[in-house]
Amino acid sequence: MSARLSSVEEITHQAYDIFLQLAPENLSDQDIQQFNEHHGEFGFIEDSEPEDDWQQFVSLEIEPEHFVQVVVGIEYEDGDEIFARILISRDLDAPFCHVLWKGSESQ
């Protein structure tokens, strides 16, 4: 039996909603202000296959077809500022999400 998977687009939107809900508890006031000021013009939400380093942070097997990495940040001329990297499951029957926040030594 194959897993029931959300689309990458749906799960990316869900990851962004989680970011918005949890950001006030996990980012500094300055980061929140900066994100709010610039996300409309310079903000990005990128989805990709999970990077290999996620195995350091989660104790489950990360199957690329079942997980998506979502990065939320601001793109500036001199480089990107990443506010969060999110690992989220596409499997509707096995929900999972882990966020690495800006400023954490594990980001």
Side-chain angles (χ1 to χ4, degrees):
M1 185 169 136
S2 63
R4 298 179 315 127
L5 302 177
S6 294
S7 72
V8 171
E9 183 178 345
E10 288 172 327
I11 208 67
T12 299
H13 286 296
Q14 184 178 351
Y16 185 64
D17 288 344
I18 291 168
F19 168 82
L20 292 176
Q21 284 181 336
L22 298 178
E25 300 166 21
N26 292 281
L27 295 173
S28 70
D29 291 342
Q30 181 181 350
D31 286 335
I32 297 288
Q33 181 180 357
Q34 185 176 1
F35 180 79
N36 288 338
E37 263 182 53
H38 300 287
H39 82 277
E41 189 173 353
F42 302 110
F44 66 86
I45 305 160
E46 293 179 352
D47 59 76
S48 65
E49 204 170 278
E51 294 178 14
D52 293 337
D53 70 340
W54 278 108
Q55 287 300 164
Q56 299 174 49
F57 309 113
V58 297
S59 60
L60 51 92
E61 185 177 338
I62 300 171
E63 300 174 41
E65 61 274 1
H66 288 219
F67 287 87
V68 174
Q69 173 180 276
V70 177
V71 177
V72 180
I74 303 288
E75 184 175 5
Y76 297 110
E77 287 182 18
D78 59 347
D80 296 345
E81 181 157 11
I82 305 300
F83 292 99
R85 275 197 314 144
I86 304 164
L87 179 69
I88 190 163
S89 172
R90 295 178 56 206
D91 189 335
L92 295 170
D93 299 316
F96 177 86
C97 180
H98 188 84
V99 182
L100 299 177
W101 295 97
K102 176 185 174 187
S104 69
E105 50 183 86
S106 55
Q107 189 202 12

